[in-house]
mmCIF file with all atom_site columns, all heavy atoms in Angstrom:
data_model
loop_
_atom_site.group_PDB
_atom_site.id
_atom_site.type_symbol
_atom_site.label_atom_id
_atom_site.label_alt_id
_atom_site.label_comp_id
_atom_site.label_asym_id
_atom_site.label_entity_id
_atom_site.label_seq_id
_atom_site.pdbx_PDB_ins_code
_atom_site.Cartn_x
_atom_site.Cartn_y
_atom_site.Cartn_z
_atom_site.occupancy
_atom_site.B_iso_or_equiv
_atom_site.pdbx_formal_charge
_atom_site.auth_seq_id
_atom_site.auth_comp_id
_atom_site.auth_asym_id
_atom_site.auth_atom_id
_atom_site.pdbx_PDB_model_num
ATOM 1   N N   . ARG G 1 31 ? 50.304 57.246 -104.151 1.00 98.00 ? 31 ARG G N   1
ATOM 2   C CA  . ARG G 1 31 ? 49.629 56.178 -104.895 1.00 98.00 ? 31 ARG G CA  1
ATOM 3   C C   . ARG G 1 31 ? 50.255 54.820 -104.593 1.00 98.00 ? 31 ARG G C   1
ATOM 4   O O   . ARG G 1 31 ? 49.552 53.821 -104.410 1.00 98.00 ? 31 ARG G O   1
ATOM 5   C CB  . ARG G 1 31 ? 49.684 56.471 -106.401 1.00 98.00 ? 31 ARG G CB  1
ATOM 6   C CG  . ARG G 1 31 ? 49.010 55.444 -107.279 1.00 98.00 ? 31 ARG G CG  1
ATOM 7   C CD  . ARG G 1 31 ? 47.499 55.521 -107.194 1.00 98.00 ? 31 ARG G CD  1
ATOM 8   N NE  . ARG G 1 31 ? 47.000 54.510 -106.281 1.00 98.00 ? 31 ARG G NE  1
ATOM 9   C CZ  . ARG G 1 31 ? 45.817 54.559 -105.676 1.00 98.00 ? 31 ARG G CZ  1
ATOM 10  N NH1 . ARG G 1 31 ? 44.994 55.561 -105.858 1.00 98.00 ? 31 ARG G NH1 1
ATOM 11  N NH2 . ARG G 1 31 ? 45.446 53.608 -104.864 1.00 98.00 ? 31 ARG G NH2 1
ATOM 12  N N   . ALA G 1 32 ? 51.588 54.754 -104.563 1.00 98.00 ? 32 ALA G N   1
ATOM 13  C CA  . ALA G 1 32 ? 52.260 53.489 -104.258 1.00 98.00 ? 32 ALA G CA  1
ATOM 14  C C   . ALA G 1 32 ? 51.866 52.997 -102.866 1.00 98.00 ? 32 ALA G C   1
ATOM 15  O O   . ALA G 1 32 ? 51.605 51.805 -102.665 1.00 98.00 ? 32 ALA G O   1
ATOM 16  C CB  . ALA G 1 32 ? 53.777 53.648 -104.363 1.00 98.00 ? 32 ALA G CB  1
ATOM 17  N N   . LEU G 1 33 ? 51.781 53.905 -101.899 1.00 98.00 ? 33 LEU G N   1
ATOM 18  C CA  . LEU G 1 33 ? 51.405 53.522 -100.539 1.00 98.00 ? 33 LEU G CA  1
ATOM 19  C C   . LEU G 1 33 ? 49.932 53.133 -100.448 1.00 98.00 ? 33 LEU G C   1
ATOM 20  O O   . LEU G 1 33 ? 49.570 52.218 -99.704  1.00 98.00 ? 33 LEU G O   1
ATOM 21  C CB  . LEU G 1 33 ? 51.757 54.627 -99.549  1.00 98.00 ? 33 LEU G CB  1
ATOM 22  C CG  . LEU G 1 33 ? 53.267 54.754 -99.289  1.00 98.00 ? 33 LEU G CG  1
ATOM 23  C CD1 . LEU G 1 33 ? 53.583 56.054 -98.560  1.00 98.00 ? 33 LEU G CD1 1
ATOM 24  C CD2 . LEU G 1 33 ? 53.783 53.560 -98.503  1.00 98.00 ? 33 LEU G CD2 1
ATOM 25  N N   . GLU G 1 34 ? 49.077 53.782 -101.204 1.00 98.00 ? 34 GLU G N   1
ATOM 26  C CA  . GLU G 1 34 ? 47.666 53.378 -101.243 1.00 98.00 ? 34 GLU G CA  1
ATOM 27  C C   . GLU G 1 34 ? 47.540 51.970 -101.832 1.00 98.00 ? 34 GLU G C   1
ATOM 28  O O   . GLU G 1 34 ? 46.733 51.168 -101.364 1.00 98.00 ? 34 GLU G O   1
ATOM 29  C CB  . GLU G 1 34 ? 46.828 54.375 -102.046 1.00 98.00 ? 34 GLU G CB  1
ATOM 30  C CG  . GLU G 1 34 ? 46.534 55.670 -101.311 1.00 98.00 ? 34 GLU G CG  1
ATOM 31  C CD  . GLU G 1 34 ? 45.615 55.502 -100.114 1.00 98.00 ? 34 GLU G CD  1
ATOM 32  O OE1 . GLU G 1 34 ? 44.760 54.600 -100.114 1.00 98.00 ? 34 GLU G OE1 1
ATOM 33  O OE2 . GLU G 1 34 ? 45.753 56.290 -99.159  1.00 98.00 ? 34 GLU G OE2 1
ATOM 34  N N   . ASN G 1 35 ? 48.350 51.672 -102.847 1.00 98.00 ? 35 ASN G N   1
ATOM 35  C CA  . ASN G 1 35 ? 48.344 50.332 -103.429 1.00 98.00 ? 35 ASN G CA  1
ATOM 36  C C   . ASN G 1 35 ? 48.803 49.299 -102.401 1.00 98.00 ? 35 ASN G C   1
ATOM 37  O O   . ASN G 1 35 ? 48.207 48.228 -102.274 1.00 98.00 ? 35 ASN G O   1
ATOM 38  C CB  . ASN G 1 35 ? 49.217 50.280 -104.684 1.00 98.00 ? 35 ASN G CB  1
ATOM 39  C CG  . ASN G 1 35 ? 48.653 51.107 -105.822 1.00 98.00 ? 35 ASN G CG  1
ATOM 40  O OD1 . ASN G 1 35 ? 47.519 51.541 -105.795 1.00 98.00 ? 35 ASN G OD1 1
ATOM 41  N ND2 . ASN G 1 35 ? 49.473 51.338 -106.828 1.00 98.00 ? 35 ASN G ND2 1
ATOM 42  N N   . LEU G 1 36 ? 49.853 49.631 -101.648 1.00 98.00 ? 36 LEU G N   1
ATOM 43  C CA  . LEU G 1 36 ? 50.331 48.716 -100.613 1.00 98.00 ? 36 LEU G CA  1
ATOM 44  C C   . LEU G 1 36 ? 49.295 48.549 -99.509  1.00 98.00 ? 36 LEU G C   1
ATOM 45  O O   . LEU G 1 36 ? 49.100 47.445 -98.985  1.00 98.00 ? 36 LEU G O   1
ATOM 46  C CB  . LEU G 1 36 ? 51.658 49.214 -100.036 1.00 98.00 ? 36 LEU G CB  1
ATOM 47  C CG  . LEU G 1 36 ? 52.867 48.975 -100.931 1.00 98.00 ? 36 LEU G CG  1
ATOM 48  C CD1 . LEU G 1 36 ? 54.049 49.802 -100.472 1.00 98.00 ? 36 LEU G CD1 1
ATOM 49  C CD2 . LEU G 1 36 ? 53.219 47.489 -100.966 1.00 98.00 ? 36 LEU G CD2 1
ATOM 50  N N   . LYS G 1 37 ? 48.640 49.622 -99.152  1.00 98.00 ? 37 LYS G N   1
ATOM 51  C CA  . LYS G 1 37 ? 47.585 49.558 -98.130  1.00 98.00 ? 37 LYS G CA  1
ATOM 52  C C   . LYS G 1 37 ? 46.504 48.566 -98.560  1.00 98.00 ? 37 LYS G C   1
ATOM 53  O O   . LYS G 1 37 ? 46.041 47.745 -97.756  1.00 98.00 ? 37 LYS G O   1
ATOM 54  C CB  . LYS G 1 37 ? 46.995 50.955 -97.924  1.00 98.00 ? 37 LYS G CB  1
ATOM 55  C CG  . LYS G 1 37 ? 45.915 51.033 -96.879  1.00 98.00 ? 37 LYS G CG  1
ATOM 56  C CD  . LYS G 1 37 ? 45.437 52.482 -96.755  1.00 98.00 ? 37 LYS G CD  1
ATOM 57  C CE  . LYS G 1 37 ? 44.234 52.583 -95.857  1.00 98.00 ? 37 LYS G CE  1
ATOM 58  N NZ  . LYS G 1 37 ? 43.707 53.957 -95.815  1.00 98.00 ? 37 LYS G NZ  1
ATOM 59  N N   . ALA G 1 38 ? 46.112 48.607 -99.825  1.00 98.00 ? 38 ALA G N   1
ATOM 60  C CA  . ALA G 1 38 ? 45.098 47.677 -100.337 1.00 98.00 ? 38 ALA G CA  1
ATOM 61  C C   . ALA G 1 38 ? 45.590 46.237 -100.292 1.00 98.00 ? 38 ALA G C   1
ATOM 62  O O   . ALA G 1 38 ? 44.830 45.326 -99.928  1.00 98.00 ? 38 ALA G O   1
ATOM 63  C CB  . ALA G 1 38 ? 44.710 48.063 -101.766 1.00 98.00 ? 38 ALA G CB  1
ATOM 64  N N   . VAL G 1 39 ? 46.850 46.000 -100.634 1.00 97.00 ? 39 VAL G N   1
ATOM 65  C CA  . VAL G 1 39 ? 47.418 44.656 -100.574 1.00 97.00 ? 39 VAL G CA  1
ATOM 66  C C   . VAL G 1 39 ? 47.394 44.146 -99.138  1.00 97.00 ? 39 VAL G C   1
ATOM 67  O O   . VAL G 1 39 ? 47.007 43.006 -98.863  1.00 97.00 ? 39 VAL G O   1
ATOM 68  C CB  . VAL G 1 39 ? 48.860 44.637 -101.144 1.00 97.00 ? 39 VAL G CB  1
ATOM 69  C CG1 . VAL G 1 39 ? 49.557 43.321 -100.842 1.00 97.00 ? 39 VAL G CG1 1
ATOM 70  C CG2 . VAL G 1 39 ? 48.855 44.919 -102.636 1.00 97.00 ? 39 VAL G CG2 1
ATOM 71  N N   . LEU G 1 40 ? 47.801 45.001 -98.206  1.00 97.00 ? 40 LEU G N   1
ATOM 72  C CA  . LEU G 1 40 ? 47.818 44.589 -96.801  1.00 97.00 ? 40 LEU G CA  1
ATOM 73  C C   . LEU G 1 40 ? 46.419 44.267 -96.293  1.00 97.00 ? 40 LEU G C   1
ATOM 74  O O   . LEU G 1 40 ? 46.216 43.263 -95.607  1.00 97.00 ? 40 LEU G O   1
ATOM 75  C CB  . LEU G 1 40 ? 48.451 45.679 -95.938  1.00 97.00 ? 40 LEU G CB  1
ATOM 76  C CG  . LEU G 1 40 ? 49.961 45.854 -96.106  1.00 97.00 ? 40 LEU G CG  1
ATOM 77  C CD1 . LEU G 1 40 ? 50.446 47.045 -95.310  1.00 97.00 ? 40 LEU G CD1 1
ATOM 78  C CD2 . LEU G 1 40 ? 50.701 44.596 -95.695  1.00 97.00 ? 40 LEU G CD2 1
ATOM 79  N N   . GLU G 1 41 ? 45.463 45.120 -96.612  1.00 97.00 ? 41 GLU G N   1
ATOM 80  C CA  . GLU G 1 41 ? 44.089 44.879 -96.161  1.00 97.00 ? 41 GLU G CA  1
ATOM 81  C C   . GLU G 1 41 ? 43.549 43.575 -96.731  1.00 97.00 ? 41 GLU G C   1
ATOM 82  O O   . GLU G 1 41 ? 42.884 42.814 -96.028  1.00 97.00 ? 41 GLU G O   1
ATOM 83  C CB  . GLU G 1 41 ? 43.202 46.067 -96.519  1.00 97.00 ? 41 GLU G CB  1
ATOM 84  C CG  . GLU G 1 41 ? 43.519 47.291 -95.664  1.00 97.00 ? 41 GLU G CG  1
ATOM 85  C CD  . GLU G 1 41 ? 42.798 48.553 -96.098  1.00 97.00 ? 41 GLU G CD  1
ATOM 86  O OE1 . GLU G 1 41 ? 42.082 48.549 -97.121  1.00 97.00 ? 41 GLU G OE1 1
ATOM 87  O OE2 . GLU G 1 41 ? 42.960 49.567 -95.395  1.00 97.00 ? 41 GLU G OE2 1
ATOM 88  N N   . ALA G 1 42 ? 43.871 43.290 -97.984  1.00 97.00 ? 42 ALA G N   1
ATOM 89  C CA  . ALA G 1 42 ? 43.419 42.039 -98.611  1.00 97.00 ? 42 ALA G CA  1
ATOM 90  C C   . ALA G 1 42 ? 44.047 40.809 -97.955  1.00 97.00 ? 42 ALA G C   1
ATOM 91  O O   . ALA G 1 42 ? 43.480 39.719 -98.000  1.00 97.00 ? 42 ALA G O   1
ATOM 92  C CB  . ALA G 1 42 ? 43.733 42.060 -100.109 1.00 97.00 ? 42 ALA G CB  1
ATOM 93  N N   . SER G 1 43 ? 45.208 40.994 -97.335  1.00 96.00 ? 43 SER G N   1
ATOM 94  C CA  . SER G 1 43 ? 45.894 39.868 -96.696  1.00 96.00 ? 43 SER G CA  1
ATOM 95  C C   . SER G 1 43 ? 45.639 39.804 -95.190  1.00 96.00 ? 43 SER G C   1
ATOM 96  O O   . SER G 1 43 ? 46.259 38.997 -94.494  1.00 96.00 ? 43 SER G O   1
ATOM 97  C CB  . SER G 1 43 ? 47.392 39.939 -96.981  1.00 96.00 ? 43 SER G CB  1
ATOM 98  O OG  . SER G 1 43 ? 47.946 41.077 -96.356  1.00 96.00 ? 43 SER G OG  1
ATOM 99  N N   . GLY G 1 44 ? 44.765 40.666 -94.688  1.00 96.00 ? 44 GLY G N   1
ATOM 100 C CA  . GLY G 1 44 ? 44.442 40.651 -93.265  1.00 96.00 ? 44 GLY G CA  1
ATOM 101 C C   . GLY G 1 44 ? 45.399 41.434 -92.400  1.00 96.00 ? 44 GLY G C   1
ATOM 102 O O   . GLY G 1 44 ? 45.488 41.212 -91.193  1.00 96.00 ? 44 GLY G O   1
ATOM 103 N N   . SER G 1 45 ? 46.120 42.373 -92.985  1.00 97.00 ? 45 SER G N   1
ATOM 104 C CA  . SER G 1 45 ? 47.067 43.192 -92.235  1.00 97.00 ? 45 SER G CA  1
ATOM 105 C C   . SER G 1 45 ? 46.730 44.665 -92.454  1.00 97.00 ? 45 SER G C   1
ATOM 106 O O   . SER G 1 45 ? 45.681 45.007 -92.989  1.00 97.00 ? 45 SER G O   1
ATOM 107 C CB  . SER G 1 45 ? 48.500 42.879 -92.677  1.00 97.00 ? 45 SER G CB  1
ATOM 108 O OG  . SER G 1 45 ? 49.434 43.518 -91.822  1.00 97.00 ? 45 SER G OG  1
ATOM 109 N N   . SER G 1 46 ? 47.646 45.534 -92.032  1.00 97.00 ? 46 SER G N   1
ATOM 110 C CA  . SER G 1 46 ? 47.443 46.975 -92.196  1.00 97.00 ? 46 SER G CA  1
ATOM 111 C C   . SER G 1 46 ? 48.778 47.699 -92.094  1.00 97.00 ? 46 SER G C   1
ATOM 112 O O   . SER G 1 46 ? 49.791 47.110 -91.689  1.00 97.00 ? 46 SER G O   1
ATOM 113 C CB  . SER G 1 46 ? 46.485 47.507 -91.126  1.00 97.00 ? 46 SER G CB  1
ATOM 114 O OG  . SER G 1 46 ? 47.046 47.297 -89.836  1.00 97.00 ? 46 SER G OG  1
ATOM 115 N N   . LEU G 1 47 ? 48.780 48.963 -92.451  1.00 97.00 ? 47 LEU G N   1
ATOM 116 C CA  . LEU G 1 47 ? 50.010 49.749 -92.439  1.00 97.00 ? 47 LEU G CA  1
ATOM 117 C C   . LEU G 1 47 ? 50.619 49.874 -91.041  1.00 97.00 ? 47 LEU G C   1
ATOM 118 O O   . LEU G 1 47 ? 51.830 50.001 -90.903  1.00 97.00 ? 47 LEU G O   1
ATOM 119 C CB  . LEU G 1 47 ? 49.767 51.137 -93.031  1.00 97.00 ? 47 LEU G CB  1
ATOM 120 C CG  . LEU G 1 47 ? 49.549 51.176 -94.540  1.00 97.00 ? 47 LEU G CG  1
ATOM 121 C CD1 . LEU G 1 47 ? 49.111 52.563 -94.985  1.00 97.00 ? 47 LEU G CD1 1
ATOM 122 C CD2 . LEU G 1 47 ? 50.812 50.763 -95.285  1.00 97.00 ? 47 LEU G CD2 1
ATOM 123 N N   . ASP G 1 48 ? 49.806 49.814 -90.004  1.00 96.00 ? 48 ASP G N   1
ATOM 124 C CA  . ASP G 1 48 ? 50.356 49.932 -88.652  1.00 96.00 ? 48 ASP G CA  1
ATOM 125 C C   . ASP G 1 48 ? 51.051 48.651 -88.189  1.00 96.00 ? 48 ASP G C   1
ATOM 126 O O   . ASP G 1 48 ? 51.629 48.604 -87.105  1.00 96.00 ? 48 ASP G O   1
ATOM 127 C CB  . ASP G 1 48 ? 49.294 50.376 -87.651  1.00 96.00 ? 48 ASP G CB  1
ATOM 128 C CG  . ASP G 1 48 ? 48.146 49.399 -87.506  1.00 96.00 ? 48 ASP G CG  1
ATOM 129 O OD1 . ASP G 1 48 ? 47.885 48.620 -88.432  1.00 96.00 ? 48 ASP G OD1 1
ATOM 130 O OD2 . ASP G 1 48 ? 47.506 49.441 -86.440  1.00 96.00 ? 48 ASP G OD2 1
#
Side-chain angles (χ1 to χ4, degrees):
R31 180 73 261 159
L33 287 167
E34 284 293 330
N35 293 347
L36 284 165
K37 181 179 172 184
V39 169
L40 289 174
E41 289 172 356
S43 66
S45 189
S46 62
L47 288 171
D48 62 336

